[in-house]
Amino acid sequence: MLRSLSTAVSGLRNHQTKLDVVGNNIANVNTVGFKYGVARFQDIFSQTLRGATAPLGGTGGINPMQVGLGMGISSIATVHEQGAITGTGRETDLAINGQGFFVVTDGYQYYYTRDGSFTRDATGVLVNANGLKLLGWVGEETDTSQPLGEICIPLGESMIARATENMVFTGNLNAGAAVDGTYTYPTYVYDSLGNMHYITFVFKKTNANEWSCSFYKGAGTIDPTNPPTIISIGTLKFTPEGVFTLDHDGDGKPDTPPIQYTLSLAETDLGTGAKDLAITLDFTALTQLASDESNVVLKGQDGFAAGELATFNIESTGIITGTYTNGMVRQIAQIAMASFINPEGLLKMGSNLYTVSSNSGEARIGLPGADGRGEIQSRALEMSNVDLANEFTELIITSRGFQANTRVISTSDEVLLELINIKR
């Protein structure tokens, strides 16, 4: 009789634990990045009243007789299915579409989370609601061999400039110009400190289909009383059809090695303390056709004056690019993402955080969208993956199981009472 009582007590206790799990799921139905839990039961030790016997002679075999002594919980698993992704409009809200976890730290150890509710703190560092810092790789190049660091987005504080390294020209040089005729084209370049320097190109016709190219620092016409230093760049040659050519030796093939046109200014010529300038010039889009006058145009140059960080964007690969007031777009950082062989083995630490356990496997940290990791969706959050219909069904089933076990206890009590009343 006592067996049924203890068996029913184990049923009550473990159904209560399952109710706790279901209740926690329902409580977190709107928790960002929450993954629901599932409790699984198993029977426990059975008392053998009679062992099994094998067939012998004319007698058949006999099955064992056993009485179960209750039930226990075999596992409480965390189900890492994808939750619904909901747009928020906040540029620092991040959702993971697929497998993986954000890596955050409190300065002492790493934690892992699906909750992408990040914001910028007073220093511009991306942190979660509890102040843990989001980790990744900082800089214009992503080098995953380097240690992880905090990600800072210094809006309105960070300023950058870029020296001109390439200039591309287009337009036309007048094929009808007289030999020794010149055409000047003023433009500008930037040094490494963002200073603008005016440069004037001088194109001089030296022969049919041939022009010399040189430059001097400054803009406007040359002052004969104080002429600037004119620096040669090279010779520009054109085919009889007026097409720019790199075949200077006339063998019908581009010269090997190809001719390089470079504008060079030493630090002393710049006078600003910036690095030497060495600018590659591209004249391949120039033509030499008969026209009223020459018209050379700078199609583009890649230098920029100083500008401050104005806006930023987070791409699906986790790259954070910043747009500066001078028009430059540059990679600021790369968000890291961790994956695990067995994510169900992670330990929940509260505050939507997980940490490594002995059965989760080590964190495999790398790039979003690579090696099975999901991609990042900015301005969105992953919601809980709790299915209320399923949880309420489990709630009913568990409640009925609990009630049934109470009936076993009350029935066992009645039988014990009858047994006691035998003496009367």
Side-chain angles (χ1 to χ4, degrees):
M1 193 62 63
L2 294 177
R3 282 196 300 256
S4 62
L5 285 172
S6 60
T7 297
V9 168
S10 71
L12 290 176
R13 182 183 299 114
N14 293 302
H15 276 83
Q16 179 60 60
T17 301
K18 183 172 182 178
L19 279 173
D20 295 339
V21 173
V22 174
N24 184 61
N25 292 341
I26 295 174
N28 286 280
V29 67
N30 291 315
T31 300
V32 175
F34 178 80
K35 303 301 178 185
Y36 74 91
V38 176
R40 296 285 184 254
F41 294 148
Q42 64 182 3
D43 65 339
I44 56 176
F45 179 74
S46 295
Q47 181 179 0
T48 301
L49 303 180
R50 184 184 66 191
T53 60
L56 180 63
T59 305
I62 300 175
N63 294 326
M65 290 195 309
Q66 294 178 296
V67 177
L69 298 180
M71 51 84 74
I73 295 178
S74 60
S75 67
I76 300 177
T78 301
V79 181
H80 287 269
E81 292 179 350
Q82 179 75 49
I85 295 178
T86 303
T88 65
R90 292 182 70 247
E91 55 195 0
T92 55
D93 281 345
L94 307 175
I96 298 175
N97 188 6
Q99 301 297 314
F101 299 82
F102 296 111
V103 185
V104 295
T105 183
D106 59 359
Y108 298 99
Q109 71 176 94
Y110 289 171
Y111 296 95
Y112 308 94
T113 182
R114 297 280 296 191
D115 183 355
S117 304
F118 296 107
T119 187
R120 296 172 61 248
D121 68 6
T123 61
V125 175
L126 286 180
V127 297
N128 69 3
N130 297 304
L132 275 68
K133 297 178 179 179
L134 178 64
L135 297 181
W137 297 276
V138 180
E140 295 187 56
E141 299 291 335
T142 300
D143 185 357
T144 56
S145 65
Q146 296 299 312
L148 297 179
E150 63 186 39
I151 296 176
C152 181
I153 305 177
L155 290 175
E157 301 172 12
S158 174
M159 295 189 69
I160 61 171
R162 184 164 70 192
T164 302
E165 296 180 351
N166 297 279
M167 300 178 75
V168 179
F169 292 86
T170 186
N172 183 66
L173 290 169
N174 182 15
V179 174
D180 292 333
T182 61
Y183 172 75
T184 59
Y185 176 68
T187 184
Y188 57 88
V189 295
Y190 292 99
D191 64 23
S192 60
L193 297 178
N195 296 298
M196 180 186 291
H197 300 272
Y198 287 99
I199 300 293
T200 298
F201 287 86
V202 181
F203 300 91
K204 181 179 180 180
K205 189 171 184 180
T206 57
N207 208 336
N209 302 326
E210 186 174 309
W211 296 70
S212 69
C213 179
S214 56
F215 78 96
Y216 61 87
K217 190 171 182 292
T221 58
I222 297 176
D223 182 0
T225 62
N226 185 27
T229 301
I230 298 179
I231 304 172
S232 175
I233 292 174
T235 300
L236 311 182
K237 289 193 174 184
F238 297 85
T239 67
E241 294 77 24
V243 178
F244 182 86
T245 179
L246 293 173
D247 178 19
H248 283 200
D249 56 11
D251 64 354
K253 299 178 181 179
D255 295 341
T256 304
I259 293 176
Q260 296 287 334
Y261 297 98
T262 305
L263 183 156
S264 298
L265 279 173
E267 176 185 348
T268 53
D269 296 325
L270 295 173
T272 60
K275 294 180 179 179
D276 296 351
L277 273 178
I279 304 172
T280 301
L281 307 177
D282 185 349
F283 296 108
T284 56
L286 277 181
T287 59
Q288 186 214 229
L289 301 172
S291 60
D292 293 338
E293 61 181 14
S294 296
N295 182 24
V296 177
V297 178
L298 178 64
K299 185 177 181 180
Q301 61 96 13
D302 56 2
F304 288 94
E308 66 182 25
L309 182 61
T311 60
F312 66 93
N313 180 62
I314 302 176
E315 302 176 9
S316 61
T317 55
I319 293 176
I320 304 176
T321 55
T323 302
Y324 293 78
T325 53
N326 58 5
M328 285 185 67
V329 177
R330 189 182 74 168
Q331 177 177 326
I332 300 173
Q334 163 78 65
I335 297 173
M337 188 177 290
S339 62
F340 296 88
I341 295 176
N342 177 29
E344 290 189 2
L346 293 170
L347 287 172
K348 289 184 176 182
M349 303 301 293
S351 302
N352 294 340
L353 301 175
Y354 298 88
T355 190
V356 174
S357 78
S358 57
N359 197 42
S360 63
E362 292 299 318
R364 299 182 294 182
I365 297 175
L367 303 178
D371 301 325
R373 302 179 194 91
E375 295 185 337
I376 292 177
Q377 186 170 335
S378 62
R379 301 176 184 270
L381 290 173
E382 180 190 12
M383 302 309 294
S384 164
N385 66 351
V386 173
D387 181 349
L388 276 180
N390 179 72
E391 296 304 320
F392 281 127
T393 301
E394 289 292 322
L395 192 64
I396 294 171
I397 294 172
T398 308
S399 174
R400 292 293 177 260
F402 187 91
Q403 291 174 348
N405 280 278
T406 62
R407 297 296 183 269
V408 173
I409 292 176
S410 60
T411 302
S412 298
D413 177 60
E414 291 174 0
V415 172
L416 283 173
L417 180 60
E418 291 299 325
L419 181 61
I420 292 171
N421 290 335
I422 289 176
K423 182 182 177 184
R424 295 180 184 177

